PDB file of all heavy atoms in Angstrom:
ATOM      1  N   GLN H 114      90.325 131.513 172.507  1.00 98.00           N
ATOM      2  CA  GLN H 114      89.645 131.893 173.748  1.00 98.00           C
ATOM      3  C   GLN H 114      88.452 132.785 173.435  1.00 98.00           C
ATOM      4  O   GLN H 114      88.428 133.492 172.436  1.00 98.00           O
ATOM      5  CB  GLN H 114      90.603 132.642 174.659  1.00 98.00           C
ATOM      6  CG  GLN H 114      90.003 132.998 176.024  1.00 98.00           C
ATOM      7  CD  GLN H 114      91.034 133.702 176.875  1.00 98.00           C
ATOM      8  OE1 GLN H 114      91.325 134.859 176.668  1.00 98.00           O
ATOM      9  NE2 GLN H 114      91.585 132.963 177.827  1.00 98.00           N
ATOM     10  N   GLY H 115      87.472 132.740 174.310  1.00 98.00           N
ATOM     11  CA  GLY H 115      86.320 133.622 174.235  1.00 98.00           C
ATOM     12  C   GLY H 115      85.678 133.695 175.604  1.00 98.00           C
ATOM     13  O   GLY H 115      86.065 132.965 176.519  1.00 98.00           O
ATOM     14  N   LYS H 116      84.710 134.600 175.728  1.00 98.00           N
ATOM     15  CA  LYS H 116      84.042 134.710 177.034  1.00 98.00           C
ATOM     16  C   LYS H 116      82.555 134.939 176.851  1.00 98.00           C
ATOM     17  O   LYS H 116      82.096 135.389 175.804  1.00 98.00           O
ATOM     18  CB  LYS H 116      84.657 135.816 177.871  1.00 98.00           C
ATOM     19  CG  LYS H 116      84.268 137.219 177.480  1.00 98.00           C
ATOM     20  CD  LYS H 116      84.854 138.219 178.468  1.00 98.00           C
ATOM     21  CE  LYS H 116      84.431 139.644 178.158  1.00 98.00           C
ATOM     22  NZ  LYS H 116      84.984 140.606 179.110  1.00 98.00           N
ATOM     23  N   ILE H 117      81.830 134.605 177.904  1.00 98.00           N
ATOM     24  CA  ILE H 117      80.404 134.892 177.967  1.00 98.00           C
ATOM     25  C   ILE H 117      80.149 135.647 179.270  1.00 98.00           C
ATOM     26  O   ILE H 117      80.519 135.178 180.352  1.00 98.00           O
ATOM     27  CB  ILE H 117      79.542 133.610 177.848  1.00 98.00           C
ATOM     28  CG1 ILE H 117      78.055 133.969 177.837  1.00 98.00           C
ATOM     29  CG2 ILE H 117      79.882 132.589 178.921  1.00 98.00           C
ATOM     30  CD1 ILE H 117      77.154 132.818 177.396  1.00 98.00           C
ATOM     31  N   LYS H 118      79.572 136.819 179.141  1.00 98.00           N
ATOM     32  CA  LYS H 118      79.219 137.605 180.316  1.00 98.00           C
ATOM     33  C   LYS H 118      77.872 137.104 180.822  1.00 98.00           C
ATOM     34  O   LYS H 118      76.945 136.901 180.045  1.00 98.00           O
ATOM     35  CB  LYS H 118      79.158 139.092 179.973  1.00 98.00           C
ATOM     36  CG  LYS H 118      80.545 139.669 179.706  1.00 98.00           C
ATOM     37  CD  LYS H 118      80.577 141.168 179.637  1.00 98.00           C
ATOM     38  CE  LYS H 118      80.248 141.795 180.924  1.00 98.00           C
ATOM     39  NZ  LYS H 118      81.328 142.240 181.775  1.00 98.00           N
ATOM     40  N   VAL H 119      77.791 136.897 182.116  1.00 98.00           N
ATOM     41  CA  VAL H 119      76.586 136.359 182.737  1.00 98.00           C
ATOM     42  C   VAL H 119      76.253 137.197 183.967  1.00 98.00           C
ATOM     43  O   VAL H 119      77.045 138.021 184.403  1.00 98.00           O
ATOM     44  CB  VAL H 119      76.787 134.876 183.136  1.00 98.00           C
ATOM     45  CG1 VAL H 119      77.058 134.008 181.914  1.00 98.00           C
ATOM     46  CG2 VAL H 119      77.914 134.722 184.147  1.00 98.00           C
ATOM     47  N   ASN H 120      75.080 136.956 184.526  1.00 98.00           N
ATOM     48  CA  ASN H 120      74.761 137.651 185.776  1.00 98.00           C
ATOM     49  C   ASN H 120      75.251 136.815 186.965  1.00 98.00           C
ATOM     50  O   ASN H 120      75.705 135.679 186.810  1.00 98.00           O
ATOM     51  CB  ASN H 120      73.271 137.981 185.873  1.00 98.00           C
ATOM     52  CG  ASN H 120      72.376 136.762 185.978  1.00 98.00           C
ATOM     53  OD1 ASN H 120      72.807 135.674 186.362  1.00 98.00           O
ATOM     54  ND2 ASN H 120      71.116 136.925 185.637  1.00 98.00           N
ATOM     55  N   GLN H 121      75.147 137.364 188.137  1.00 98.00           N
ATOM     56  CA  GLN H 121      75.662 136.704 189.341  1.00 98.00           C
ATOM     57  C   GLN H 121      74.933 135.395 189.620  1.00 98.00           C
ATOM     58  O   GLN H 121      75.548 134.404 190.012  1.00 98.00           O
ATOM     59  CB  GLN H 121      75.546 137.639 190.550  1.00 98.00           C
ATOM     60  CG  GLN H 121      76.182 137.055 191.793  1.00 98.00           C
ATOM     61  CD  GLN H 121      76.274 138.066 192.924  1.00 98.00           C
ATOM     62  OE1 GLN H 121      76.021 139.247 192.735  1.00 98.00           O
ATOM     63  NE2 GLN H 121      76.639 137.588 194.098  1.00 98.00           N
ATOM     64  N   GLU H 122      73.636 135.380 189.389  1.00 97.00           N
ATOM     65  CA  GLU H 122      72.858 134.160 189.635  1.00 97.00           C
ATOM     66  C   GLU H 122      73.367 133.004 188.773  1.00 97.00           C
ATOM     67  O   GLU H 122      73.538 131.878 189.261  1.00 97.00           O
ATOM     68  CB  GLU H 122      71.375 134.419 189.365  1.00 97.00           C
ATOM     69  CG  GLU H 122      70.489 133.220 189.641  1.00 97.00           C
ATOM     70  CD  GLU H 122      69.014 133.483 189.326  1.00 97.00           C
ATOM     71  OE1 GLU H 122      68.659 134.594 188.884  1.00 97.00           O
ATOM     72  OE2 GLU H 122      68.216 132.541 189.526  1.00 97.00           O
ATOM     73  N   ILE H 123      73.628 133.282 187.519  1.00 98.00           N
ATOM     74  CA  ILE H 123      74.128 132.237 186.616  1.00 98.00           C
ATOM     75  C   ILE H 123      75.524 131.787 187.037  1.00 98.00           C
ATOM     76  O   ILE H 123      75.799 130.585 187.118  1.00 98.00           O
ATOM     77  CB  ILE H 123      74.130 132.715 185.147  1.00 98.00           C
ATOM     78  CG1 ILE H 123      72.692 132.838 184.641  1.00 98.00           C
ATOM     79  CG2 ILE H 123      74.939 131.771 184.256  1.00 98.00           C
ATOM     80  CD1 ILE H 123      72.557 133.446 183.258  1.00 98.00           C
ATOM     81  N   LEU H 124      76.398 132.736 187.308  1.00 98.00           N
ATOM     82  CA  LEU H 124      77.772 132.390 187.679  1.00 98.00           C
ATOM     83  C   LEU H 124      77.802 131.506 188.919  1.00 98.00           C
ATOM     84  O   LEU H 124      78.506 130.492 188.954  1.00 98.00           O
ATOM     85  CB  LEU H 124      78.596 133.663 187.890  1.00 98.00           C
ATOM     86  CG  LEU H 124      80.108 133.506 187.859  1.00 98.00           C
ATOM     87  CD1 LEU H 124      80.589 132.920 186.533  1.00 98.00           C
ATOM     88  CD2 LEU H 124      80.784 134.839 188.112  1.00 98.00           C
ATOM     89  N   GLU H 125      77.022 131.846 189.910  1.00 97.00           N
ATOM     90  CA  GLU H 125      76.972 131.040 191.133  1.00 97.00           C
ATOM     91  C   GLU H 125      76.357 129.673 190.881  1.00 97.00           C
ATOM     92  O   GLU H 125      76.834 128.664 191.395  1.00 97.00           O
ATOM     93  CB  GLU H 125      76.213 131.797 192.221  1.00 97.00           C
ATOM     94  CG  GLU H 125      76.987 132.994 192.758  1.00 97.00           C
ATOM     95  CD  GLU H 125      76.194 133.844 193.743  1.00 97.00           C
ATOM     96  OE1 GLU H 125      75.021 133.500 194.048  1.00 97.00           O
ATOM     97  OE2 GLU H 125      76.748 134.856 194.199  1.00 97.00           O
ATOM     98  N   ARG H 172      87.307 129.174 182.927  1.00 98.00           N
ATOM     99  CA  ARG H 172      87.699 129.975 184.088  1.00 98.00           C
ATOM    100  C   ARG H 172      86.538 130.894 184.434  1.00 98.00           C
ATOM    101  O   ARG H 172      86.066 131.653 183.586  1.00 98.00           O
ATOM    102  CB  ARG H 172      88.948 130.802 183.779  1.00 98.00           C
ATOM    103  CG  ARG H 172      89.384 131.695 184.937  1.00 98.00           C
ATOM    104  CD  ARG H 172      90.713 132.374 184.655  1.00 98.00           C
ATOM    105  NE  ARG H 172      90.719 133.208 183.468  1.00 98.00           N
ATOM    106  CZ  ARG H 172      90.332 134.491 183.435  1.00 98.00           C
ATOM    107  NH1 ARG H 172      89.894 135.088 184.527  1.00 98.00           N
ATOM    108  NH2 ARG H 172      90.402 135.175 182.311  1.00 98.00           N
ATOM    109  N   LEU H 173      86.060 130.802 185.666  1.00 98.00           N
ATOM    110  CA  LEU H 173      84.988 131.682 186.132  1.00 98.00           C
ATOM    111  C   LEU H 173      85.617 132.944 186.706  1.00 98.00           C
ATOM    112  O   LEU H 173      86.473 132.864 187.572  1.00 98.00           O
ATOM    113  CB  LEU H 173      84.141 130.979 187.198  1.00 98.00           C
ATOM    114  CG  LEU H 173      83.083 129.994 186.683  1.00 98.00           C
ATOM    115  CD1 LEU H 173      83.664 128.900 185.841  1.00 98.00           C
ATOM    116  CD2 LEU H 173      82.270 129.451 187.822  1.00 98.00           C
ATOM    117  N   ASP H 174      85.203 134.084 186.212  1.00 98.00           N
ATOM    118  CA  ASP H 174      85.755 135.372 186.632  1.00 98.00           C
ATOM    119  C   ASP H 174      84.656 136.153 187.341  1.00 98.00           C
ATOM    120  O   ASP H 174      83.754 136.688 186.702  1.00 98.00           O
ATOM    121  CB  ASP H 174      86.266 136.144 185.417  1.00 98.00           C
ATOM    122  CG  ASP H 174      87.024 137.398 185.791  1.00 98.00           C
ATOM    123  OD1 ASP H 174      86.587 138.107 186.728  1.00 98.00           O
ATOM    124  OD2 ASP H 174      88.036 137.693 185.135  1.00 98.00           O
ATOM    125  N   TYR H 175      84.743 136.200 188.673  1.00 97.00           N
ATOM    126  CA  TYR H 175      83.708 136.848 189.473  1.00 97.00           C
ATOM    127  C   TYR H 175      83.796 138.367 189.397  1.00 97.00           C
ATOM    128  O   TYR H 175      82.794 139.050 189.599  1.00 97.00           O
ATOM    129  CB  TYR H 175      83.790 136.377 190.926  1.00 97.00           C
ATOM    130  CG  TYR H 175      83.372 134.932 191.074  1.00 97.00           C
ATOM    131  CD1 TYR H 175      84.299 133.902 190.959  1.00 97.00           C
ATOM    132  CD2 TYR H 175      82.041 134.596 191.294  1.00 97.00           C
ATOM    133  CE1 TYR H 175      83.911 132.579 191.071  1.00 97.00           C
ATOM    134  CE2 TYR H 175      81.641 133.275 191.414  1.00 97.00           C
ATOM    135  CZ  TYR H 175      82.585 132.272 191.300  1.00 97.00           C
ATOM    136  OH  TYR H 175      82.192 130.968 191.399  1.00 97.00           O
ATOM    137  N   GLU H 176      84.962 138.886 189.090  1.00 98.00           N
ATOM    138  CA  GLU H 176      85.112 140.332 188.977  1.00 98.00           C
ATOM    139  C   GLU H 176      84.433 140.848 187.700  1.00 98.00           C
ATOM    140  O   GLU H 176      83.743 141.856 187.716  1.00 98.00           O
ATOM    141  CB  GLU H 176      86.597 140.696 188.960  1.00 98.00           C
ATOM    142  CG  GLU H 176      86.866 142.172 189.143  1.00 98.00           C
ATOM    143  CD  GLU H 176      88.352 142.434 189.335  1.00 98.00           C
ATOM    144  OE1 GLU H 176      88.933 141.874 190.284  1.00 98.00           O
ATOM    145  OE2 GLU H 176      88.902 143.197 188.516  1.00 98.00           O
ATOM    146  N   GLU H 177      84.622 140.137 186.601  1.00 98.00           N
ATOM    147  CA  GLU H 177      84.020 140.524 185.324  1.00 98.00           C
ATOM    148  C   GLU H 177      82.623 139.950 185.136  1.00 98.00           C
ATOM    149  O   GLU H 177      81.953 140.296 184.163  1.00 98.00           O
ATOM    150  CB  GLU H 177      84.890 140.048 184.159  1.00 98.00           C
ATOM    151  CG  GLU H 177      86.111 140.869 183.910  1.00 98.00           C
ATOM    152  CD  GLU H 177      86.762 140.470 182.595  1.00 98.00           C
ATOM    153  OE1 GLU H 177      86.071 140.429 181.555  1.00 98.00           O
ATOM    154  OE2 GLU H 177      87.963 140.196 182.624  1.00 98.00           O
ATOM    155  N   MET H 178      82.237 139.020 186.011  1.00 98.00           N
ATOM    156  CA  MET H 178      80.962 138.297 185.850  1.00 98.00           C
ATOM    157  C   MET H 178      80.943 137.618 184.469  1.00 98.00           C
ATOM    158  O   MET H 178      80.069 137.845 183.634  1.00 98.00           O
ATOM    159  CB  MET H 178      79.766 139.230 186.015  1.00 98.00           C
ATOM    160  CG  MET H 178      79.657 139.853 187.395  1.00 98.00           C
ATOM    161  SD  MET H 178      79.654 138.644 188.752  1.00 98.00           S
ATOM    162  CE  MET H 178      78.179 137.732 188.410  1.00 98.00           C
ATOM    163  N   ALA H 179      81.949 136.791 184.255  1.00 98.00           N
ATOM    164  CA  ALA H 179      82.110 136.135 182.959  1.00 98.00           C
ATOM    165  C   ALA H 179      82.684 134.742 183.131  1.00 98.00           C
ATOM    166  O   ALA H 179      83.309 134.428 184.146  1.00 98.00           O
ATOM    167  CB  ALA H 179      83.032 136.962 182.068  1.00 98.00           C
ATOM    168  N   ILE H 180      82.455 133.927 182.127  1.00 98.00           N
ATOM    169  CA  ILE H 180      83.068 132.606 182.036  1.00 98.00           C
ATOM    170  C   ILE H 180      83.924 132.615 180.782  1.00 98.00           C
ATOM    171  O   ILE H 180      83.439 132.903 179.682  1.00 98.00           O
ATOM    172  CB  ILE H 180      82.015 131.488 181.955  1.00 98.00           C
ATOM    173  CG1 ILE H 180      81.090 131.521 183.171  1.00 98.00           C
ATOM    174  CG2 ILE H 180      82.696 130.115 181.811  1.00 98.00           C
ATOM    175  CD1 ILE H 180      79.881 130.608 183.057  1.00 98.00           C
ATOM    176  N   TYR H 181      85.210 132.321 180.953  1.00 98.00           N
ATOM    177  CA  TYR H 181      86.138 132.242 179.829  1.00 98.00           C
ATOM    178  C   TYR H 181      86.279 130.789 179.402  1.00 98.00           C
ATOM    179  O   TYR H 181      86.379 129.904 180.245  1.00 98.00           O
ATOM    180  CB  TYR H 181      87.514 132.775 180.228  1.00 98.00           C
ATOM    181  CG  TYR H 181      87.587 134.274 180.276  1.00 98.00           C
ATOM    182  CD1 TYR H 181      87.180 134.971 181.409  1.00 98.00           C
ATOM    183  CD2 TYR H 181      88.050 134.998 179.188  1.00 98.00           C
ATOM    184  CE1 TYR H 181      87.242 136.353 181.457  1.00 98.00           C
ATOM    185  CE2 TYR H 181      88.113 136.386 179.225  1.00 98.00           C
ATOM    186  CZ  TYR H 181      87.712 137.054 180.365  1.00 98.00           C
ATOM    187  OH  TYR H 181      87.772 138.423 180.396  1.00 98.00           O
ATOM    188  N   ALA H 182      86.295 130.565 178.102  1.00 98.00           N
ATOM    189  CA  ALA H 182      86.541 129.236 177.544  1.00 98.00           C
ATOM    190  C   ALA H 182      87.819 129.311 176.723  1.00 98.00           C
ATOM    191  O   ALA H 182      88.016 130.259 175.951  1.00 98.00           O
ATOM    192  CB  ALA H 182      85.388 128.791 176.664  1.00 98.00           C
ATOM    193  N   ARG H 219      70.106 137.664 178.762  1.00 98.00           N
ATOM    194  CA  ARG H 219      70.954 138.819 178.436  1.00 98.00           C
ATOM    195  C   ARG H 219      72.447 138.506 178.466  1.00 98.00           C
ATOM    196  O   ARG H 219      73.273 139.409 178.555  1.00 98.00           O
ATOM    197  CB  ARG H 219      70.650 139.976 179.380  1.00 98.00           C
ATOM    198  CG  ARG H 219      69.270 140.581 179.144  1.00 98.00           C
ATOM    199  CD  ARG H 219      69.006 141.664 180.147  1.00 98.00           C
ATOM    200  NE  ARG H 219      68.911 141.041 181.468  1.00 98.00           N
ATOM    201  CZ  ARG H 219      67.914 141.228 182.313  1.00 98.00           C
ATOM    202  NH1 ARG H 219      66.953 142.059 182.021  1.00 98.00           N
ATOM    203  NH2 ARG H 219      67.894 140.609 183.470  1.00 98.00           N
ATOM    204  N   MET H 220      72.811 137.263 178.368  1.00 98.00           N
ATOM    205  CA  MET H 220      74.228 136.899 178.327  1.00 98.00           C
ATOM    206  C   MET H 220      74.831 137.405 177.013  1.00 98.00           C
ATOM    207  O   MET H 220      74.134 137.508 176.008  1.00 98.00           O
ATOM    208  CB  MET H 220      74.380 135.383 178.426  1.00 98.00           C
ATOM    209  CG  MET H 220      73.954 134.817 179.772  1.00 98.00           C
ATOM    210  SD  MET H 220      73.953 133.015 179.755  1.00 98.00           S
ATOM    211  CE  MET H 220      72.367 132.691 178.973  1.00 98.00           C
ATOM    212  N   GLU H 221      76.132 137.717 177.047  1.00 98.00           N
ATOM    213  CA  GLU H 221      76.819 138.211 175.856  1.00 98.00           C
ATOM    214  C   GLU H 221      78.082 137.400 175.599  1.00 98.00           C
ATOM    215  O   GLU H 221      78.947 137.299 176.469  1.00 98.00           O
ATOM    216  CB  GLU H 221      77.225 139.676 176.030  1.00 98.00           C
ATOM    217  CG  GLU H 221      76.067 140.623 176.155  1.00 98.00           C
ATOM    218  CD  GLU H 221      76.531 142.053 176.393  1.00 98.00           C
ATOM    219  OE1 GLU H 221      77.723 142.368 176.124  1.00 98.00           O
ATOM    220  OE2 GLU H 221      75.707 142.857 176.850  1.00 98.00           O
ATOM    221  N   ILE H 222      78.177 136.861 174.402  1.00 98.00           N
ATOM    222  CA  ILE H 222      79.380 136.151 173.970  1.00 98.00           C
ATOM    223  C   ILE H 222      80.263 137.159 173.241  1.00 98.00           C
ATOM    224  O   ILE H 222      79.796 137.879 172.366  1.00 98.00           O
ATOM    225  CB  ILE H 222      79.024 134.963 173.059  1.00 98.00           C
ATOM    226  CG1 ILE H 222      78.224 133.921 173.858  1.00 98.00           C
ATOM    227  CG2 ILE H 222      80.283 134.351 172.441  1.00 98.00           C
ATOM    228  CD1 ILE H 222      77.647 132.806 173.023  1.00 98.00           C
ATOM    229  N   SER H 223      81.551 137.196 173.613  1.00 98.00           N
ATOM    230  CA  SER H 223      82.441 138.177 172.979  1.00 98.00           C
ATOM    231  C   SER H 223      83.890 137.717 173.044  1.00 98.00           C
ATOM    232  O   SER H 223      84.213 136.696 173.660  1.00 98.00           O
ATOM    233  CB  SER H 223      82.307 139.541 173.660  1.00 98.00           C
ATOM    234  OG  SER H 223      82.716 139.459 175.004  1.00 98.00           O
ATOM    235  N   GLU H 224      84.725 138.501 172.409  1.00 98.00           N
ATOM    236  CA  GLU H 224      86.180 138.338 172.471  1.00 98.00           C
ATOM    237  C   GLU H 224      86.671 136.964 172.037  1.00 98.00           C
ATOM    238  O   GLU H 224      87.694 136.481 172.535  1.00 98.00           O
ATOM    239  CB  GLU H 224      86.705 138.694 173.859  1.00 98.00           C
ATOM    240  CG  GLU H 224      86.396 140.119 174.262  1.00 98.00           C
ATOM    241  CD  GLU H 224      86.915 140.487 175.639  1.00 98.00           C
ATOM    242  OE1 GLU H 224      87.928 139.907 176.076  1.00 98.00           O
ATOM    243  OE2 GLU H 224      86.296 141.365 176.262  1.00 98.00           O
ATOM    244  N   HIS H 226      88.777 134.778 169.904  1.00 98.00           N
ATOM    245  CA  HIS H 226      89.948 135.059 169.091  1.00 98.00           C
ATOM    246  C   HIS H 226      90.977 133.945 169.206  1.00 98.00           C
ATOM    247  O   HIS H 226      90.984 133.180 170.162  1.00 98.00           O
ATOM    248  CB  HIS H 226      90.582 136.399 169.482  1.00 98.00           C
ATOM    249  CG  HIS H 226      91.079 136.442 170.889  1.00 98.00           C
ATOM    250  ND1 HIS H 226      90.253 136.615 171.968  1.00 98.00           N
ATOM    251  CD2 HIS H 226      92.330 136.308 171.391  1.00 98.00           C
ATOM    252  CE1 HIS H 226      90.976 136.605 173.080  1.00 98.00           C
ATOM    253  NE2 HIS H 226      92.232 136.419 172.765  1.00 98.00           N
TER     254      HIS H 226
END
Side-chain angles (χ1 to χ4, degrees):
Q114 184 178 76
K116 76 175 183 180
I117 183 166
K118 289 192 66 98
V119 298
N120 66 21
Q121 185 171 351
E122 182 182 0
I123 290 174
L124 198 58
E125 289 174 1
R172 178 173 59 86
L173 280 58
D174 188 319
Y175 290 89
E176 192 171 302
E177 283 190 52
M178 297 306 297
I180 302 170
Y181 283 84
R219 291 177 293 231
M220 293 173 279
E221 295 177 18
I222 295 172
S223 63
E224 300 180 29
H226 62 282

